[in-house]
Amino acid sequence: MRSSNPLQRDSVYENARSLDLTSHSMSVLGTANKLFFLSLVMIAGALLTYYQFSLGHMDYVNMLMTGGIIAGFILAIILAFKPDATPYLSPLYALSQGAVISGASCFFEARYPGIVIQAMSLTMLTVLVMAVLFSTKLLQATKKFKATIFAA
């Protein structure tokens, strides 16, 4: 199937096929460690933005959120075309996205007090539970499980 999406071009898949998977194999523990690290970086960006909200500086919140959107977009473009830069640029991407998510959350919190803490708590609890279930192998991605998730 032909696509105009630059990430779906044939050369992307050819490069993936030629990788030496023995030296760059992915593990559940490595994935969990990266998830934890990037989550902490994202939370740092979110806390910086929320701190400005707590001080009543909505102009700073707007500035951080807009900067995060622009930086995130630029980083996403770079990471799409230069996957080798991922280890170096993904923390910056996580930081910018933390500012964006927190900035949007601040606007919702100002309008509907209490809604953000509920959404944030449930999201973080879901991520934590899923990470624990996968890392302890209580939940495994079998063919039936994948089909169920895909159907859902």
Side-chain angles (χ1 to χ4, degrees):
M1 183 166 77
R2 302 292 294 160
S3 173
S4 61
N5 185 340
L7 298 178
Q8 298 295 323
R9 63 187 187 277
D10 291 334
S11 64
V12 171
Y13 297 108
E14 291 302 320
N15 290 340
R17 285 188 198 108
S18 66
L19 288 176
D20 179 17
L21 297 178
T22 58
S23 64
H24 299 290
S25 61
M26 184 173 167
S27 69
V28 173
L29 183 59
T31 302
N33 288 340
K34 288 176 185 171
L35 171 71
F36 181 71
F37 173 71
L38 291 174
S39 295
L40 286 179
V41 173
M42 183 190 69
I43 289 168
L47 288 176
L48 175 67
T49 306
Y50 188 78
Y51 178 70
Q52 295 302 320
F53 173 72
S54 69
L55 295 176
H57 299 152
M58 287 304 286
D59 52 340
Y60 290 150
V61 170
N62 193 21
M63 180 184 69
L64 288 168
M65 188 173 78
T66 305
I69 290 170
I70 294 168
F73 179 73
I74 291 169
L75 288 167
I77 297 291
I78 293 169
L79 291 171
F81 290 101
K82 293 287 186 187
D84 296 339
T86 302
Y88 311 106
L89 296 180
S90 57
L92 294 174
Y93 182 78
L95 188 69
S96 67
Q97 294 309 293
V100 172
I101 291 169
S102 182
S105 297
C106 289
F107 287 110
F108 281 108
E109 184 65 28
R111 178 110 172 140
Y112 308 103
I115 195 169
V116 171
I117 193 70
Q118 293 174 17
M120 186 178 64
S121 300
L122 290 173
T123 301
M124 291 300 162
L125 181 65
T126 302
V127 169
L128 180 65
V129 167
M130 294 305 290
V132 168
L133 288 175
F134 274 109
S135 65
T136 59
K137 298 191 189 242
L138 289 173
L139 183 63
Q140 293 184 353
T142 62
K143 285 188 177 195
K144 185 175 181 181
F145 177 75
K146 290 177 193 176
T148 304
I149 295 297
F150 184 73

